[in-house]
Amino acid sequence: MILGTAAYMSPEQAKGKAVDKRADIWAFGVVLYEMLTGRRPFDGEEMPEVLAAVLRQPVDWTTLPPDTPAAVRRLLRRSLERDRGARLGDMSAARLEINDALAGDGASTVAEPTAQRRWQWASAGLALVSVVLASMLIGLPAREVDRDDSVLRFTLVDDPNMEVHTSTQPFAVSPDGKTIVFSAAAVTTGLWARSLDQPAARFLAGSEGGLQPAISPDGQWVAFVVANHIIRKVRLSGGGATTVATIDDVTASLAWASDEEILLEKIGSASGLHRVSANGGEPQLFLPLSGDELGHNVPVVLREPRLVFYANARPDGRQSAGAPVRGALDSDGLTLAVFSPADGRRRGLDIDGFRVLGLIDDHLVYARSDGALMAVPFDARGLRVLGQPRLLEPRVSPGRFGPSVTLSENGTLVSLPAVSPLSRLMLADVDGRAVALGEARAYESPRFSPDGSRIGVGIADGDGLDLWTLDRMTMAATRVTRGGPRSTKLESWTSDGRSLVHTRSDELWTVPVNGSEGAHKLVDVEGRVLGASVLAGGQSIAVLRRIRVGQGNLDREELVRVPLSGDPKAVPIFMSRSSGSVLRGLDPRASPDGRFVALHDRNDNQVHVRSIEGGAGLQVSDTGGNLPVWGHDSRSLYYRTATGTVRAELQTSPTLAVVSRQLVASLPSAGTVHDLSADGKTFLILVPVDPAPKVLVTVNWAADVRRQLGIGAGRP
């Protein structure tokens, strides 16, 4: 745990790692630098900028006074050493360095200090040492602290074998802010609870497969979703789970309207918010669509005042880069709206937002789809905003399903921090020998050409993404598209190696790699294309799509095979037939022999395989998995887990079955396998520049918000 201010945090604090007394020595160095120069060594307008400076910005030693004694310069350098192992180890050593400077043993780099300067050194040095030593004894940072305004930050879990799931609603915090419930894969996949006074999380028995947790207002129960359509609840204190409802649609988030009633969002059916008794029953329509509303998403209930907030799709259907998939809606085309159950009033707030977090001193705090946390003055009685939104922190990862963030009633924030999008392309052989290719860029979805001589890859730049090819031997780069939207995603090469197949604006496109012509539609597919993979021989393509069915505004996802010539009629591989088999897939990959398609199902966060002839499928992973990649023999499948890359050996005849699973220890655990060469000898891997972020807990984050907004402090 850490207590302090961003500008004085040591690098290990900024990374959320464990700290010791050397973090205080770093803070001592920062204060001493400020006293000597009149400026901070690490600064920025917002907290993320300050933390970034702490981690990367070199200290400007030229700002030190010319007559600074060498001993003090040495003390500063050893105090502000980013490598904790090389940092000054004990405060007594700092006192010795200062004494040396006062005694004249460390001559200044320019001239001997004057008597007045010596007296200033003595006063400053002794005062600083006294304050720091006293702060260590009483356990406070080296500054006066108002305990009501103190902010505590630490990582939610440090277990390297636990993967915290991110989804529309990944975390829930009890009203008192003392317990956090989250979905994670470890020995068991389901819901885990972390009490802030305990060092480790405990598994909630009966929550196997649970996602989208929500804690009741009395803090006694946790509601959650299983298989994307079954709502269950379990006591936070322990005990068996009970089923609340089984719905005929897909739900992504829950909100307790009271201790006795739960609100739920239906993704596929755009009819409005629904409610169900917490004791069980049939869901009923709670808030129907009104006017130009296209759907109610991510409901949040505030008890004081009693208001229901939700996100509504824009009538113009505006979209932007990397929008998480939400039924017929996209999170970045959402504006916030509010409903008052007391009198039935509702109002669109006309501000871009994905999820309301809460009210802090008459300011509505919310998350945008790009991960920015915002605040805007809000009139709770009049249900209207009173000014312009203000950026609090651009710190939350936008995620694939929306920003992963929640806020308790007492101001505890739980969030997944954003990291740099930069990564390095690497080639690794089966023995783990790896070589990096070129510089770090914002690479996405790299794919080997059929002959393995080139690499196709998407490279993001600002709000756009273009496709490139890289020569495997020379790394010569050729730009294939220009000005592509951020939603562009490379899916595969054509079988002849002449073109790149990609999705863009929910459609299938292809573009020649030699620049002979621009991109054009590959084939017309009914519905919205979510992913695709060319089948062996190049005569057809496996497509994951979403279509609207029936008269009830219901969306359905299905995996189909589409011919690339002649009649492009889709042949079903797998489609949802009931609420119990709703497909929510990602990253379809066809096997080299063209007989199977592997994909990641978001319902259970597992990798599945389907035969293109239909029939029963196979769950391949057992403790969570995504991004499947086939081996060259079509009988092995690689996929990513929390602990690294796993190789599963499959039996494909007479029936599909998993023969074995084994962690590929020779591959870098931080990297993600995106492809395997046709000869099965070389992996194509992306390794992020920044390590995977850990979920961050900020106790009394509301105090930070008040300071930023200038609305006073002192209330927890």
Side-chain angles (χ1 to χ4, degrees):
M1 294 185 180
I2 57 176
L3 183 65
T5 304
Y8 302 90
M9 288 183 186
S10 64
E12 59 268 25
Q13 285 176 291
K15 294 178 180 178
K17 294 183 177 181
V19 299
D20 56 24
K21 62 184 180 182
R22 287 170 291 185
D24 287 328
I25 289 173
W26 173 280
F28 165 82
V30 173
V31 174
L32 181 57
Y33 183 94
E34 290 181 359
M35 293 182 69
L36 295 174
T37 66
R39 54 179 290 182
R40 286 179 174 177
F42 313 107
D43 211 348
E45 294 184 2
E46 304 288 347
M47 182 184 294
E49 296 174 359
V50 177
L51 294 179
V54 169
L55 292 173
R56 298 185 181 88
Q57 179 179 301
V59 179
D60 185 0
W61 302 113
T62 64
T63 60
L64 289 171
D67 56 352
T68 303
V72 175
R73 290 178 178 270
R74 183 168 59 248
L75 170 61
L76 275 172
R77 290 183 181 276
R78 294 186 63 193
S79 297
L80 296 179
E81 174 61 57
R82 286 190 169 89
D83 181 358
R84 183 167 51 178
R87 196 178 306 155
L88 196 68
D90 194 271
M91 208 62 220
S92 61
R95 183 174 182 175
L96 293 176
E97 294 281 7
I98 292 177
N99 286 341
D100 286 346
L102 294 173
D105 290 344
S108 71
T109 55
V110 176
E112 285 292 324
T114 64
Q116 181 181 9
R117 172 71 72 179
R118 285 171 179 261
W119 172 244
Q120 291 173 345
W121 278 117
S123 301
L126 291 176
L128 277 169
V129 171
S130 299
V131 170
V132 172
L133 292 177
S135 73
M136 290 179 174
L137 290 174
I138 64 175
L140 293 176
R143 62 187 182 91
E144 184 178 351
V145 176
D146 179 349
R147 295 307 298 262
D148 287 340
D149 285 344
S150 60
V151 176
L152 200 65
R153 292 184 175 87
F154 54 93
T155 55
L156 180 61
V157 292
D158 289 319
D159 185 349
N161 296 318
M162 176 178 285
E163 180 182 19
V164 179
H165 295 156
T166 56
S167 57
T168 302
Q169 181 177 296
F171 323 119
V173 189
S174 59
D176 61 9
K178 295 181 179 179
T179 304
I180 300 167
V181 175
F182 57 98
S183 178
V187 177
T188 305
T189 300
L191 299 184
W192 298 72
R194 164 79 190 276
S195 298
L196 299 191
D197 59 353
Q198 298 296 320
R202 57 185 172 86
F203 183 73
L204 295 180
S207 70
E208 288 79 2
L211 295 170
Q212 324 298 357
I215 299 178
S216 60
D218 62 10
Q220 300 298 312
W221 294 90
V222 180
F224 58 96
V225 179
V226 176
N228 209 50
H229 72 291
I230 302 172
I231 301 174
R232 309 188 79 186
K233 69 174 184 178
V234 64
R235 283 192 179 275
L236 190 56
S237 59
T242 58
T243 297
V244 174
T246 300
I247 65 174
D248 58 355
D249 200 352
V250 176
T251 187
S253 55
L254 309 173
W256 290 77
S258 68
D259 289 329
E260 304 298 328
E261 190 172 64
I262 300 172
L263 299 186
L264 60 121
E265 167 195 3
K266 286 189 173 184
I267 292 183
S269 179
S271 56
L273 291 179
H274 289 67
R275 62 183 172 187
V276 64
S277 169
N279 297 317
E282 290 294 323
Q284 305 293 326
L285 186 62
F286 169 74
L287 184 64
L289 299 179
S290 174
D292 60 1
E293 291 183 335
L294 300 180
H296 296 161
N297 302 265
V298 202
V300 173
V301 179
L302 301 187
R303 291 194 292 171
E304 294 294 337
R306 182 167 166 73
L307 297 173
V308 178
F309 291 88
Y310 58 91
N312 173 50
R314 290 181 177 276
D316 60 10
R318 190 183 71 187
Q319 300 180 27
S320 67
V325 176
R326 304 185 55 75
L329 311 174
D330 289 298
S331 72
D332 58 347
L334 298 177
T335 57
L336 296 177
V338 61
F339 170 70
S340 171
D343 52 25
R345 289 181 300 152
R346 78 169 86 186
R347 184 187 297 271
L349 301 181
D350 197 29
I351 51 177
D352 294 340
F354 177 80
R355 178 187 176 89
V356 165
L357 300 179
L359 280 171
I360 298 178
D361 287 5
D362 299 324
H363 281 72
L364 186 67
V365 181
Y366 61 96
R368 289 193 320 216
S369 61
D370 62 1
L373 304 186
M374 310 292 293
V376 64
F378 181 72
D379 175 8
R381 291 187 177 182
L383 303 184
R384 65 182 188 274
V385 297
L386 300 177
Q388 292 299 313
R390 177 174 171 178
L391 177 67
L392 296 176
E393 299 180 13
R395 60 180 287 174
V396 177
S397 171
R400 208 164 185 177
F401 313 113
S404 298
V405 59
T406 193
L407 181 70
S408 72
E409 292 182 6
N410 76 334
T412 295
L413 185 80
V414 184
S415 60
L416 183 70
V419 296
S420 169
L422 302 182
S423 58
R424 295 189 181 279
L425 270 173
M426 298 188 70
L427 299 179
D429 62 22
V430 293
D431 295 322
R433 291 185 293 267
V435 58
L437 303 178
E439 61 181 338
R441 301 284 298 273
Y443 295 115
E444 293 189 13
S445 306
R447 300 286 189 268
F448 277 125
S449 62
D451 63 5
S453 64
R454 291 167 294 172
I455 297 169
V457 66
I459 301 179
D461 184 12
D463 294 330
L465 184 145
D466 283 311
L467 303 182
W468 295 69
T469 61
L470 309 174
D471 186 278
R472 180 172 165 180
M473 299 303 295
T474 67
M475 280 304 295
T478 302
R479 192 169 191 161
V480 179
T481 65
R482 290 186 178 276
R486 187 63 179 80
S487 59
T488 303
K489 180 177 180 291
L490 176 61
E491 302 291 349
S492 66
W493 290 71
T494 54
S495 296
D496 57 13
R498 296 179 179 177
S499 301
L500 298 177
V501 176
H502 56 285
T503 50
R504 188 176 73 185
S505 303
D506 305 320
E507 297 175 326
L508 267 178
W509 293 72
T510 185
V511 58
V513 295
N514 63 4
S516 59
E517 57 182 288
H520 61 276
K521 283 187 183 180
L522 177 64
V523 64
D524 283 320
V525 178
E526 180 186 0
R528 301 179 58 194
V529 177
L530 307 178
S533 183
V534 174
L535 295 170
Q539 300 303 308
S540 59
I541 186 170
V543 178
L544 185 64
R545 69 178 182 179
R546 179 181 291 120
I547 60 173
R548 181 65 56 85
V549 295
Q551 301 300 316
N553 290 327
L554 181 67
D555 284 345
R556 181 176 71 197
E557 289 186 15
E558 57 185 29
L559 188 64
V560 297
R561 177 162 47 96
V562 180
L564 293 178
S565 60
D567 184 3
K569 183 178 180 180
V571 179
I573 297 175
F574 172 74
M575 65 178 60
S576 56
R577 296 179 176 84
S578 68
S579 59
S581 59
V582 174
L583 174 67
R584 297 182 68 221
L586 290 171
D587 302 314
R589 298 293 291 271
S591 61
D593 62 8
R595 296 173 56 201
F596 305 99
V597 176
L599 53 81
H600 168 217
D601 193 338
R602 306 197 304 276
N603 281 342
D604 53 14
N605 191 41
Q606 304 284 6
V607 171
H608 296 254
V609 169
R610 292 277 173 176
S611 167
I612 66 167
E613 303 300 331
L618 173 69
Q619 178 181 313
V620 177
S621 57
D622 59 346
T623 58
N626 55 26
L627 289 174
V629 173
W630 286 96
H632 70 292
D633 58 2
S634 298
R635 292 192 297 274
S636 57
L637 191 67
Y638 298 85
Y639 57 89
R640 184 178 64 181
T641 70
T643 55
T645 301
V646 170
R647 171 177 172 154
E649 289 293 331
L650 306 181
Q651 170 190 294
T652 59
S653 180
T655 58
L656 273 171
V658 177
V659 176
S660 65
R661 302 181 187 91
Q662 184 175 5
L663 184 68
V664 187
S666 60
L667 295 177
S669 59
T672 300
V673 174
H674 282 264
D675 208 355
L676 182 61
S677 60
D679 59 9
K681 295 181 179 180
T682 307
F683 294 95
L684 183 56
I685 301 174
L686 280 184
V687 178
V689 170
D690 287 344
K694 293 184 178 181
V695 177
L696 184 67
V697 180
T698 306
V699 178
N700 199 19
W701 180 70
D704 260 355
V705 174
R706 293 188 182 103
R707 278 192 287 267
Q708 291 189 61
L709 298 178
I711 54 178
R715 293 201 302 271

